[in-house]
Amino acid sequence: MKTYLPLKDDLSCHLQAAAKAALPDLPAGIEFAIVPAGRPEFGDYQCNGAMAAGRAMGRPPRDVACAVREAALAHPHPALASIEVAGPGFLNLRLDDAWLAACVSQIADDERLGAPRPGAGRTIVLDYSSPNVAKPMHIGHIRSTVIGNALDRLHRFLGYRVIADNHLGDWGTQFGLLLLGFREFADPTAYEASPIEELERVYVLSYQRSQQDERWMEAARAELVALQRGDPGRRELWQSFVDHSLREFEKIYRRLGIRFDLVRGESWYNDRLPGVIERLARMGLARESDGALIVDLSEEHLPVCIVRKRDGGFNYATTDLATVLSRDEEFAPDAIVYVTDERQQLHFRQVFAIARRLGVTRRLVHVWFGLMRLPEGTFSTRQGNVIKLERLLDEAEQRALEIVRKNSPDMPPEQQAEVARAVGLGAVKYADLSQNPQSVVTFTWEKALAMDGNSAPYLQYACARIASVLDKYAAQFPVERLATAAIRLSEPVERRLAAALVRFPEAVMDAAAACRPNVLADYLFELSQLYSTFYQNVPFLKAPEGIRESRVRLCMAVARALRTGLDLLGIETPSRI
Ligand code: ARG
C-alpha cells in the first residue's frame, strides 16, 4: 500500500490540483494548503484556501469551496473518506478509517514511522554553538548549542548531508590583552586546573589595567599585531588558550551528546581576509571612508558595513564573509544556517546582503532566538549573566536524582544515577526546545522537571510506561501474535491516536523546514496526551483477542514515535524512570 506520507503535503497537492481544475482564473499564489483540524468534529484536516480565493476572485468563498470539493471528488484520494464544506467556506477533510488503520499498521513496523528523506542529495552547513575561546559559554551559547544540535539531528534524519561547524570565536582584539595579561597575572596551577576561569580572570585584570594605563593598552595592541603576524611565541601561547578552552567545551559537548564535523574558528579564515577585501574592491562594492573600507548597503536599507578598520584590522563581518565564500566553494551547500542569539540579526543581514552581491546564491538563514530569562536564584552559580553550564547540568542531574530516588526507591543506585543523568539533561534541553525560539523563555526548575506538564521527564515517563504495557502483554500472551495482528480502530480515541501517529512525518518536516524544534516538541506532547486518554479509557489486556493485539501494537507505535522524536531533540529515553 502507498502511504502518501507526509499526508499534509500530499492532500494539499490534491486540493491544489482540484482548485486549478475547478477555477481556471485562480490567481497565482493562492494556496489550498491544509492544516490539522482544530477540533475532531471538523474532521482530521482543514483547508481555508477558498476564503482567500473567494476574496481575490470576487466570488462567495462558499461557492469556491463547493467547486473545489466537486473537482476533488472527481478524482478520489485513497486516504480520504469525505470532504465537507463548512461555515463561510472551509473545507473539512476526513480520513478513511480503513486506509488509516492500514497506514498506521504499516508505520508501526517502520523505524522511521513513514518519514521520507526529502534531503537526500542536499547539503546544509549548520553553524552553531560557536562559543568564544577563553571565556565560559554564556546562556546564548547554551541555547545555540541545544537548538543547533536539534536542527542537526532533524536534518540528518531527513536525509540531508549536514556539515556541523563550530565557528569558535578564537581571533580578535581580546587576544592582545590576554597575551599581555597572561605573562603578568596568570597562575599556572589554576590555569591547568580550570583554564577558562583562569583566562577570564586574567582578561578582566588586563582589561582593567588597560583602562587606567595607556601604555598597557599600547603594549596589548603590539601583542595582537605580533600574534597576527605569526610570531611563534605568541602563536604558541594563543594555541594553548584555544586548546585548553576547546578541551573544556568538549566536556560539555560530550555530556550533551553533541559532536561537530568541523571546528573551524575565526582564525582559520585569517589568511583569506585580504582576498575578500580584494574581491570587494575589484567588484566595486567597497569604498574608502575616513580611512576605513566600507560597503554601502543603503539599497538594502541597512547601515554601512565596515570591512576594514582604519588601523588596517579586519572585523567580525569580514571574517564571516570569508567564511561564507569558503563554505560555498568547499561544500556547495543548498543552505548555510547560523544559530545565534537575537543580537546578531543586523550582523547577519549585512553579511548576507554583501554575500549576495559577491555572487553567493545559496540559501542563507539566520536562526535567532531570544535570550533565556533566568529568575533570580535559578542557578546556584551565577556570575552576571554568565552561567557556568557545567554547574547547571550538575544541578539538573542532582535534582533529577532526588525525583528518581523518590519514584523508584527499589532501583539499584547505579541505575538511579544513569536515569537521573538522562532525565536531568533531557529536562534542561527540553525546557529550551519546547519553546518558540523567538519568544522570551523563563527557565524554572519546577517547570523543567515537572512530571505532569510539557516537560522531558513527562515524555520520558510516558515512553517507559508504554514499554511496560508490552512487558505485561508478553507475560500473558505469545508475542508472535502481535506481528500478524491487524490494527483496528474501533473507539473514537483510538482513531484520533492513529490520525496523530500518521502526522509524525509532517511534524518532523515542519520542524526542520521552519528551523523550530518546538514544532516537533508540541507534536510529541500532544501525542502523549492523546495516548494518556487512550490508555485511561479503553481496556488493553482485558480486551477480546484481536482488539487486544491491535491496541498493544498502537501503543508500541506511539512509544516508537515518542522515542524517535525525543532522540531528534537530543533527548534520551531510559527504559525505566
Ligand atoms: N562567536 C560568536 C559569539 O559568541 C558566534 C558566532 C556565530 N557564527 C558566525 N559565523 N558568526 O557571539
Side-chain angles (χ1 to χ4, degrees), residues 127-133 138 141 144 165-170 266 316 319-320 323 327 338-341 343-344 347-348 351 366:
D127 177 320
Y128 75 96
S129 193
S130 309
N132 299 323
V133 160
H138 65 63
H141 296 119
S144 171
D165 189 2
N166 190 358
H167 187 80
L168 291 183
D170 64 356
E266 293 176 22
Y316 189 42
T319 307
D320 259 322
T323 309
R327 287 170 175 165
Y338 300 80
V339 187
T340 81
D341 72 54
R343 292 170 302 186
Q344 301 201 22
H347 166 73
F348 283 109
V351 168
H366 180 210

PDB file of all heavy atoms in Angstrom, residues 127-133 138 141 144 165-170 266 316 319-320 323 327 338-341 343-344 347-348 351 366, ligand 1:
ATOM      1  N   ASP A 127      25.968  26.173  11.344  1.00  0.00           N
ATOM      2  CA  ASP A 127      26.958  26.884  12.168  1.00  0.00           C
ATOM      3  C   ASP A 127      26.306  27.108  13.520  1.00  0.00           C
ATOM      4  O   ASP A 127      25.369  27.888  13.641  1.00  0.00           O
ATOM      5  CB  ASP A 127      27.272  28.202  11.439  1.00  0.00           C
ATOM      6  CG  ASP A 127      28.231  29.138  12.142  1.00  0.00           C
ATOM      7  OD1 ASP A 127      28.149  29.283  13.375  1.00  0.00           O
ATOM      8  OD2 ASP A 127      29.048  29.767  11.432  1.00  0.00           O
ATOM      9  N   TYR A 128      26.725  26.352  14.538  1.00  0.00           N
ATOM     10  CA  TYR A 128      26.065  26.511  15.835  1.00  0.00           C
ATOM     11  C   TYR A 128      27.001  26.309  17.009  1.00  0.00           C
ATOM     12  O   TYR A 128      28.113  25.823  16.824  1.00  0.00           O
ATOM     13  CB  TYR A 128      24.830  25.622  15.932  1.00  0.00           C
ATOM     14  CG  TYR A 128      25.055  24.139  16.150  1.00  0.00           C
ATOM     15  CD1 TYR A 128      25.019  23.584  17.428  1.00  0.00           C
ATOM     16  CD2 TYR A 128      25.255  23.281  15.082  1.00  0.00           C
ATOM     17  CE1 TYR A 128      25.182  22.220  17.631  1.00  0.00           C
ATOM     18  CE2 TYR A 128      25.423  21.912  15.273  1.00  0.00           C
ATOM     19  CZ  TYR A 128      25.381  21.395  16.553  1.00  0.00           C
ATOM     20  OH  TYR A 128      25.543  20.055  16.751  1.00  0.00           O
ATOM     21  N   SER A 129      26.520  26.701  18.158  1.00  0.00           N
ATOM     22  CA  SER A 129      27.273  26.731  19.417  1.00  0.00           C
ATOM     23  C   SER A 129      28.293  27.872  19.366  1.00  0.00           C
ATOM     24  O   SER A 129      28.077  28.896  19.967  1.00  0.00           O
ATOM     25  CB  SER A 129      27.936  25.399  19.734  1.00  0.00           C
ATOM     26  OG  SER A 129      28.382  25.419  21.075  1.00  0.00           O
ATOM     27  N   SER A 130      29.401  27.684  18.647  1.00  0.00           N
ATOM     28  CA  SER A 130      30.351  28.755  18.348  1.00  0.00           C
ATOM     29  C   SER A 130      30.690  29.683  19.513  1.00  0.00           C
ATOM     30  O   SER A 130      30.551  30.899  19.409  1.00  0.00           O
ATOM     31  CB  SER A 130      29.822  29.595  17.166  1.00  0.00           C
ATOM     32  OG  SER A 130      29.466  28.754  16.095  1.00  0.00           O
ATOM     33  N   PRO A 131      31.126  29.112  20.642  1.00  0.00           N
ATOM     34  CA  PRO A 131      31.475  29.978  21.778  1.00  0.00           C
ATOM     35  C   PRO A 131      32.816  30.689  21.540  1.00  0.00           C
ATOM     36  O   PRO A 131      33.514  30.391  20.572  1.00  0.00           O
ATOM     37  CB  PRO A 131      31.608  28.986  22.935  1.00  0.00           C
ATOM     38  CG  PRO A 131      31.984  27.700  22.297  1.00  0.00           C
ATOM     39  CD  PRO A 131      31.331  27.692  20.939  1.00  0.00           C
ATOM     40  N   ASN A 132      33.114  31.598  22.431  1.00  0.00           N
ATOM     41  CA  ASN A 132      34.371  32.325  22.320  1.00  0.00           C
ATOM     42  C   ASN A 132      35.419  31.699  23.230  1.00  0.00           C
ATOM     43  O   ASN A 132      35.141  31.363  24.369  1.00  0.00           O
ATOM     44  CB  ASN A 132      34.144  33.791  22.681  1.00  0.00           C
ATOM     45  CG  ASN A 132      33.151  34.431  21.728  1.00  0.00           C
ATOM     46  OD1 ASN A 132      33.151  34.131  20.532  1.00  0.00           O
ATOM     47  ND2 ASN A 132      32.284  35.282  22.254  1.00  0.00           N
ATOM     48  N   VAL A 133      36.608  31.552  22.672  1.00  0.00           N
ATOM     49  CA  VAL A 133      37.728  30.974  23.403  1.00  0.00           C
ATOM     50  C   VAL A 133      38.072  31.843  24.602  1.00  0.00           C
ATOM     51  O   VAL A 133      37.902  33.059  24.561  1.00  0.00           O
ATOM     52  CB  VAL A 133      38.927  30.861  22.433  1.00  0.00           C
ATOM     53  CG1 VAL A 133      40.235  30.747  23.168  1.00  0.00           C
ATOM     54  CG2 VAL A 133      38.703  29.688  21.492  1.00  0.00           C
ATOM     55  N   HIS A 138      28.215  31.594  27.525  1.00  0.00           N
ATOM     56  CA  HIS A 138      27.111  32.286  28.183  1.00  0.00           C
ATOM     57  C   HIS A 138      25.798  31.636  27.749  1.00  0.00           C
ATOM     58  O   HIS A 138      25.773  30.738  26.907  1.00  0.00           O
ATOM     59  CB  HIS A 138      27.160  33.798  27.961  1.00  0.00           C
ATOM     60  CG  HIS A 138      26.968  34.242  26.546  1.00  0.00           C
ATOM     61  ND1 HIS A 138      25.809  34.012  25.851  1.00  0.00           N
ATOM     62  CD2 HIS A 138      27.793  34.909  25.702  1.00  0.00           C
ATOM     63  CE1 HIS A 138      25.922  34.528  24.649  1.00  0.00           C
ATOM     64  NE2 HIS A 138      27.121  35.066  24.522  1.00  0.00           N
ATOM     65  N   HIS A 141      25.064  30.903  24.163  1.00  0.00           N
ATOM     66  CA  HIS A 141      25.729  29.754  23.541  1.00  0.00           C
ATOM     67  C   HIS A 141      25.056  28.450  23.929  1.00  0.00           C
ATOM     68  O   HIS A 141      25.039  27.499  23.162  1.00  0.00           O
ATOM     69  CB  HIS A 141      27.205  29.706  23.950  1.00  0.00           C
ATOM     70  CG  HIS A 141      27.986  30.892  23.465  1.00  0.00           C
ATOM     71  ND1 HIS A 141      28.609  31.752  24.328  1.00  0.00           N
ATOM     72  CD2 HIS A 141      28.209  31.361  22.231  1.00  0.00           C
ATOM     73  CE1 HIS A 141      29.193  32.708  23.624  1.00  0.00           C
ATOM     74  NE2 HIS A 141      28.973  32.488  22.342  1.00  0.00           N
ATOM     75  N   SER A 144      22.146  28.193  21.650  1.00  0.00           N
ATOM     76  CA  SER A 144      22.614  27.887  20.302  1.00  0.00           C
ATOM     77  C   SER A 144      23.030  26.423  20.194  1.00  0.00           C
ATOM     78  O   SER A 144      22.769  25.748  19.196  1.00  0.00           O
ATOM     79  CB  SER A 144      23.791  28.798  19.935  1.00  0.00           C
ATOM     80  OG  SER A 144      24.367  28.374  18.735  1.00  0.00           O
ATOM     81  N   ASP A 165      29.357  22.810  11.956  1.00  0.00           N
ATOM     82  CA  ASP A 165      30.624  23.542  12.118  1.00  0.00           C
ATOM     83  C   ASP A 165      30.552  24.438  13.356  1.00  0.00           C
ATOM     84  O   ASP A 165      29.665  25.281  13.474  1.00  0.00           O
ATOM     85  CB  ASP A 165      30.866  24.384  10.854  1.00  0.00           C
ATOM     86  CG  ASP A 165      32.257  25.012  10.842  1.00  0.00           C
ATOM     87  OD1 ASP A 165      33.049  24.773  11.776  1.00  0.00           O
ATOM     88  OD2 ASP A 165      32.559  25.756   9.884  1.00  0.00           O
ATOM     89  N   ASN A 166      31.480  24.223  14.259  1.00  0.00           N
ATOM     90  CA  ASN A 166      31.569  25.040  15.462  1.00  0.00           C
ATOM     91  C   ASN A 166      32.530  26.199  15.175  1.00  0.00           C
ATOM     92  O   ASN A 166      33.742  26.030  15.195  1.00  0.00           O
ATOM     93  CB  ASN A 166      32.077  24.151  16.601  1.00  0.00           C
ATOM     94  CG  ASN A 166      31.982  24.831  17.957  1.00  0.00           C
ATOM     95  OD1 ASN A 166      31.565  25.984  18.054  1.00  0.00           O
ATOM     96  ND2 ASN A 166      32.372  24.111  18.994  1.00  0.00           N
ATOM     97  N   HIS A 167      31.946  27.340  14.900  1.00  0.00           N
ATOM     98  CA  HIS A 167      32.731  28.501  14.451  1.00  0.00           C
ATOM     99  C   HIS A 167      33.241  29.279  15.683  1.00  0.00           C
ATOM    100  O   HIS A 167      32.725  30.342  16.044  1.00  0.00           O
ATOM    101  CB  HIS A 167      31.817  29.380  13.589  1.00  0.00           C
ATOM    102  CG  HIS A 167      32.479  30.526  12.905  1.00  0.00           C
ATOM    103  ND1 HIS A 167      33.205  30.399  11.755  1.00  0.00           N
ATOM    104  CD2 HIS A 167      32.499  31.846  13.200  1.00  0.00           C
ATOM    105  CE1 HIS A 167      33.644  31.596  11.369  1.00  0.00           C
ATOM    106  NE2 HIS A 167      33.234  32.488  12.246  1.00  0.00           N
ATOM    107  N   LEU A 168      34.256  28.729  16.298  1.00  0.00           N
ATOM    108  CA  LEU A 168      34.782  29.313  17.542  1.00  0.00           C
ATOM    109  C   LEU A 168      35.222  30.764  17.365  1.00  0.00           C
ATOM    110  O   LEU A 168      35.828  31.115  16.353  1.00  0.00           O
ATOM    111  CB  LEU A 168      36.024  28.552  17.985  1.00  0.00           C
ATOM    112  CG  LEU A 168      35.916  27.122  18.483  1.00  0.00           C
ATOM    113  CD1 LEU A 168      37.299  26.655  18.913  1.00  0.00           C
ATOM    114  CD2 LEU A 168      34.938  27.038  19.640  1.00  0.00           C
ATOM    115  N   GLY A 169      34.940  31.574  18.382  1.00  0.00           N
ATOM    116  CA  GLY A 169      35.488  32.930  18.401  1.00  0.00           C
ATOM    117  C   GLY A 169      36.896  32.859  18.976  1.00  0.00           C
ATOM    118  O   GLY A 169      37.093  32.916  20.179  1.00  0.00           O
ATOM    119  N   ASP A 170      37.892  32.658  18.105  1.00  0.00           N
ATOM    120  CA  ASP A 170      39.252  32.430  18.601  1.00  0.00           C
ATOM    121  C   ASP A 170      40.228  33.458  18.051  1.00  0.00           C
ATOM    122  O   ASP A 170      41.429  33.225  17.965  1.00  0.00           O
ATOM    123  CB  ASP A 170      39.715  31.008  18.235  1.00  0.00           C
ATOM    124  CG  ASP A 170      39.818  30.831  16.726  1.00  0.00           C
ATOM    125  OD1 ASP A 170      39.462  31.774  15.975  1.00  0.00           O
ATOM    126  OD2 ASP A 170      40.268  29.764  16.290  1.00  0.00           O
ATOM    127  N   GLU A 266      37.369  31.367  13.925  1.00  0.00           N
ATOM    128  CA  GLU A 266      37.574  32.546  13.077  1.00  0.00           C
ATOM    129  C   GLU A 266      39.000  32.594  12.546  1.00  0.00           C
ATOM    130  O   GLU A 266      39.247  33.040  11.425  1.00  0.00           O
ATOM    131  CB  GLU A 266      37.279  33.817  13.878  1.00  0.00           C
ATOM    132  CG  GLU A 266      35.821  33.961  14.266  1.00  0.00           C
ATOM    133  CD  GLU A 266      35.577  35.187  15.153  1.00  0.00           C
ATOM    134  OE1 GLU A 266      36.404  36.118  15.134  1.00  0.00           O
ATOM    135  OE2 GLU A 266      34.557  35.186  15.858  1.00  0.00           O
ATOM    136  N   TYR A 316      34.574  41.311  12.492  1.00  0.00           N
ATOM    137  CA  TYR A 316      33.702  40.132  12.533  1.00  0.00           C
ATOM    138  C   TYR A 316      33.016  39.890  11.178  1.00  0.00           C
ATOM    139  O   TYR A 316      32.939  38.767  10.689  1.00  0.00           O
ATOM    140  CB  TYR A 316      32.672  40.381  13.647  1.00  0.00           C
ATOM    141  CG  TYR A 316      31.782  39.230  14.027  1.00  0.00           C
ATOM    142  CD1 TYR A 316      32.278  37.929  14.146  1.00  0.00           C
ATOM    143  CD2 TYR A 316      30.428  39.453  14.299  1.00  0.00           C
ATOM    144  CE1 TYR A 316      31.435  36.890  14.531  1.00  0.00           C
ATOM    145  CE2 TYR A 316      29.591  38.415  14.682  1.00  0.00           C
ATOM    146  CZ  TYR A 316      30.097  37.129  14.789  1.00  0.00           C
ATOM    147  OH  TYR A 316      29.258  36.102  15.166  1.00  0.00           O
ATOM    148  N   THR A 319      35.364  38.447   8.548  1.00  0.00           N
ATOM    149  CA  THR A 319      35.588  37.014   8.778  1.00  0.00           C
ATOM    150  C   THR A 319      34.389  36.210   8.305  1.00  0.00           C
ATOM    151  O   THR A 319      34.538  35.163   7.666  1.00  0.00           O
ATOM    152  CB  THR A 319      35.798  36.732  10.283  1.00  0.00           C
ATOM    153  OG1 THR A 319      36.828  37.586  10.754  1.00  0.00           O
ATOM    154  CG2 THR A 319      36.189  35.291  10.513  1.00  0.00           C
ATOM    155  N   ASP A 320      33.185  36.687   8.596  1.00  0.00           N
ATOM    156  CA  ASP A 320      32.014  35.922   8.175  1.00  0.00           C
ATOM    157  C   ASP A 320      31.855  35.905   6.654  1.00  0.00           C
ATOM    158  O   ASP A 320      31.346  34.923   6.100  1.00  0.00           O
ATOM    159  CB  ASP A 320      30.740  36.427   8.872  1.00  0.00           C
ATOM    160  CG  ASP A 320      30.366  35.509  10.048  1.00  0.00           C
ATOM    161  OD1 ASP A 320      30.539  34.285   9.896  1.00  0.00           O
ATOM    162  OD2 ASP A 320      29.939  36.010  11.088  1.00  0.00           O
ATOM    163  N   THR A 323      34.101  33.319   5.505  1.00  0.00           N
ATOM    164  CA  THR A 323      33.525  32.018   5.876  1.00  0.00           C
ATOM    165  C   THR A 323      32.449  31.584   4.883  1.00  0.00           C
ATOM    166  O   THR A 323      32.433  30.445   4.426  1.00  0.00           O
ATOM    167  CB  THR A 323      32.941  32.102   7.306  1.00  0.00           C
ATOM    168  OG1 THR A 323      33.930  32.653   8.179  1.00  0.00           O
ATOM    169  CG2 THR A 323      32.544  30.740   7.816  1.00  0.00           C
ATOM    170  N   ARG A 327      32.788  28.259   2.544  1.00  0.00           N
ATOM    171  CA  ARG A 327      31.804  27.164   2.636  1.00  0.00           C
ATOM    172  C   ARG A 327      31.104  26.951   1.300  1.00  0.00           C
ATOM    173  O   ARG A 327      30.830  25.822   0.895  1.00  0.00           O
ATOM    174  CB  ARG A 327      30.763  27.498   3.714  1.00  0.00           C
ATOM    175  CG  ARG A 327      31.310  27.384   5.107  1.00  0.00           C
ATOM    176  CD  ARG A 327      30.336  27.946   6.128  1.00  0.00           C
ATOM    177  NE  ARG A 327      30.822  27.735   7.485  1.00  0.00           N
ATOM    178  CZ  ARG A 327      30.341  28.363   8.545  1.00  0.00           C
ATOM    179  NH1 ARG A 327      29.370  29.243   8.412  1.00  0.00           N
ATOM    180  NH2 ARG A 327      30.828  28.115   9.736  1.00  0.00           N
ATOM    181  N   TYR A 338      22.803  29.609  10.363  1.00  0.00           N
ATOM    182  CA  TYR A 338      23.531  30.117  11.530  1.00  0.00           C
ATOM    183  C   TYR A 338      22.581  30.189  12.708  1.00  0.00           C
ATOM    184  O   TYR A 338      21.471  30.700  12.571  1.00  0.00           O
ATOM    185  CB  TYR A 338      24.042  31.532  11.271  1.00  0.00           C
ATOM    186  CG  TYR A 338      24.988  31.664  10.096  1.00  0.00           C
ATOM    187  CD1 TYR A 338      24.493  31.717   8.795  1.00  0.00           C
ATOM    188  CD2 TYR A 338      26.360  31.748  10.294  1.00  0.00           C
ATOM    189  CE1 TYR A 338      25.356  31.839   7.717  1.00  0.00           C
ATOM    190  CE2 TYR A 338      27.224  31.873   9.213  1.00  0.00           C
ATOM    191  CZ  TYR A 338      26.720  31.917   7.925  1.00  0.00           C
ATOM    192  OH  TYR A 338      27.569  32.039   6.859  1.00  0.00           O
ATOM    193  N   VAL A 339      23.012  29.709  13.846  1.00  0.00           N
ATOM    194  CA  VAL A 339      22.157  29.748  15.035  1.00  0.00           C
ATOM    195  C   VAL A 339      22.829  30.615  16.106  1.00  0.00           C
ATOM    196  O   VAL A 339      23.849  30.230  16.678  1.00  0.00           O
ATOM    197  CB  VAL A 339      21.928  28.329  15.598  1.00  0.00           C
ATOM    198  CG1 VAL A 339      20.893  28.356  16.724  1.00  0.00           C
ATOM    199  CG2 VAL A 339      21.476  27.367  14.503  1.00  0.00           C
ATOM    200  N   THR A 340      22.280  31.788  16.335  1.00  0.00           N
ATOM    201  CA  THR A 340      22.843  32.670  17.385  1.00  0.00           C
ATOM    202  C   THR A 340      21.704  33.431  18.075  1.00  0.00           C
ATOM    203  O   THR A 340      20.566  33.377  17.636  1.00  0.00           O
ATOM    204  CB  THR A 340      23.805  33.755  16.834  1.00  0.00           C
ATOM    205  OG1 THR A 340      23.031  34.847  16.323  1.00  0.00           O
ATOM    206  CG2 THR A 340      24.733  33.222  15.765  1.00  0.00           C
ATOM    207  N   ASP A 341      22.056  34.197  19.087  1.00  0.00           N
ATOM    208  CA  ASP A 341      21.010  34.973  19.748  1.00  0.00           C
ATOM    209  C   ASP A 341      20.615  36.193  18.907  1.00  0.00           C
ATOM    210  O   ASP A 341      21.266  36.539  17.928  1.00  0.00           O
ATOM    211  CB  ASP A 341      21.409  35.337  21.184  1.00  0.00           C
ATOM    212  CG  ASP A 341      22.488  36.390  21.262  1.00  0.00           C
ATOM    213  OD1 ASP A 341      22.331  37.473  20.666  1.00  0.00           O
ATOM    214  OD2 ASP A 341      23.508  36.137  21.929  1.00  0.00           O
ATOM    215  N   ARG A 343      20.808  39.254  19.133  1.00  0.00           N
ATOM    216  CA  ARG A 343      21.612  40.464  18.997  1.00  0.00           C
ATOM    217  C   ARG A 343      22.443  40.496  17.720  1.00  0.00           C
ATOM    218  O   ARG A 343      23.028  41.510  17.386  1.00  0.00           O
ATOM    219  CB  ARG A 343      22.521  40.617  20.221  1.00  0.00           C
ATOM    220  CG  ARG A 343      21.733  40.907  21.493  1.00  0.00           C
ATOM    221  CD  ARG A 343      22.598  40.823  22.704  1.00  0.00           C
ATOM    222  NE  ARG A 343      23.219  39.501  22.820  1.00  0.00           N
ATOM    223  CZ  ARG A 343      23.945  39.114  23.866  1.00  0.00           C
ATOM    224  NH1 ARG A 343      24.143  39.943  24.862  1.00  0.00           N
ATOM    225  NH2 ARG A 343      24.468  37.904  23.902  1.00  0.00           N
ATOM    226  N   GLN A 344      22.504  39.362  17.012  1.00  0.00           N
ATOM    227  CA  GLN A 344      23.325  39.339  15.803  1.00  0.00           C
ATOM    228  C   GLN A 344      22.500  39.477  14.514  1.00  0.00           C
ATOM    229  O   GLN A 344      23.011  39.230  13.426  1.00  0.00           O
ATOM    230  CB  GLN A 344      24.155  38.062  15.775  1.00  0.00           C
ATOM    231  CG  GLN A 344      25.044  37.981  17.004  1.00  0.00           C
ATOM    232  CD  GLN A 344      26.232  37.047  16.837  1.00  0.00           C
ATOM    233  OE1 GLN A 344      26.665  36.746  15.740  1.00  0.00           O
ATOM    234  NE2 GLN A 344      26.762  36.591  17.950  1.00  0.00           N
ATOM    235  N   HIS A 347      23.998  42.034  12.075  1.00  0.00           N
ATOM    236  CA  HIS A 347      25.252  41.496  11.546  1.00  0.00           C
ATOM    237  C   HIS A 347      24.983  40.554  10.369  1.00  0.00           C
ATOM    238  O   HIS A 347      25.576  40.692   9.298  1.00  0.00           O
ATOM    239  CB  HIS A 347      26.024  40.769  12.653  1.00  0.00           C
ATOM    240  CG  HIS A 347      27.144  39.909  12.155  1.00  0.00           C
ATOM    241  ND1 HIS A 347      28.319  40.434  11.659  1.00  0.00           N
ATOM    242  CD2 HIS A 347      27.252  38.560  12.038  1.00  0.00           C
ATOM    243  CE1 HIS A 347      29.114  39.439  11.278  1.00  0.00           C
ATOM    244  NE2 HIS A 347      28.491  38.290  11.496  1.00  0.00           N
ATOM    245  N   PHE A 348      24.072  39.610  10.561  1.00  0.00           N
ATOM    246  CA  PHE A 348      23.844  38.629   9.502  1.00  0.00           C
ATOM    247  C   PHE A 348      23.100  39.229   8.313  1.00  0.00           C
ATOM    248  O   PHE A 348      23.356  38.846   7.177  1.00  0.00           O
ATOM    249  CB  PHE A 348      23.144  37.375  10.041  1.00  0.00           C
ATOM    250  CG  PHE A 348      24.105  36.481  10.779  1.00  0.00           C
ATOM    251  CD1 PHE A 348      24.050  36.340  12.155  1.00  0.00           C
ATOM    252  CD2 PHE A 348      25.118  35.816  10.084  1.00  0.00           C
ATOM    253  CE1 PHE A 348      24.962  35.539  12.839  1.00  0.00           C
ATOM    254  CE2 PHE A 348      26.039  35.012  10.761  1.00  0.00           C
ATOM    255  CZ  PHE A 348      25.958  34.874  12.140  1.00  0.00           C
ATOM    256  N   VAL A 351      25.921  40.769   6.401  1.00  0.00           N
ATOM    257  CA  VAL A 351      26.790  39.759   5.786  1.00  0.00           C
ATOM    258  C   VAL A 351      26.073  39.078   4.613  1.00  0.00           C
ATOM    259  O   VAL A 351      26.651  38.898   3.537  1.00  0.00           O
ATOM    260  CB  VAL A 351      27.234  38.708   6.836  1.00  0.00           C
ATOM    261  CG1 VAL A 351      27.884  37.506   6.173  1.00  0.00           C
ATOM    262  CG2 VAL A 351      28.187  39.340   7.845  1.00  0.00           C
ATOM    263  N   HIS A 366      19.511  32.904   9.004  1.00  0.00           N
ATOM    264  CA  HIS A 366      19.902  33.174  10.389  1.00  0.00           C
ATOM    265  C   HIS A 366      18.761  32.751  11.306  1.00  0.00           C
ATOM    266  O   HIS A 366      17.680  33.334  11.258  1.00  0.00           O
ATOM    267  CB  HIS A 366      20.210  34.669  10.582  1.00  0.00           C
ATOM    268  CG  HIS A 366      20.625  34.999  11.988  1.00  0.00           C
ATOM    269  ND1 HIS A 366      20.380  36.201  12.579  1.00  0.00           N
ATOM    270  CD2 HIS A 366      21.272  34.243  12.907  1.00  0.00           C
ATOM    271  CE1 HIS A 366      20.858  36.185  13.825  1.00  0.00           C
ATOM    272  NE2 HIS A 366      21.400  35.010  14.049  1.00  0.00           N
TER     273      HIS A 366
HETATM  274  N1  ARG B   1      31.331  33.547  18.458  1.00  0.00           N
HETATM  275  C1  ARG B   1      30.111  34.276  18.220  1.00  0.00           C
HETATM  276  C2  ARG B   1      29.546  34.757  19.558  1.00  0.00           C
HETATM  277  O1  ARG B   1      29.891  34.234  20.573  1.00  0.00           O
HETATM  278  C3  ARG B   1      29.067  33.459  17.494  1.00  0.00           C
HETATM  279  C4  ARG B   1      29.480  33.046  16.113  1.00  0.00           C
HETATM  280  C5  ARG B   1      28.322  32.673  15.239  1.00  0.00           C
HETATM  281  N2  ARG B   1      28.734  32.244  13.923  1.00  0.00           N
HETATM  282  C6  ARG B   1      29.208  33.020  12.973  1.00  0.00           C
HETATM  283  N3  ARG B   1      29.586  32.505  11.820  1.00  0.00           N
HETATM  284  N4  ARG B   1      29.306  34.326  13.132  1.00  0.00           N
HETATM  285  O2  ARG B   1      28.715  35.630  19.576  1.00  0.00           O
END
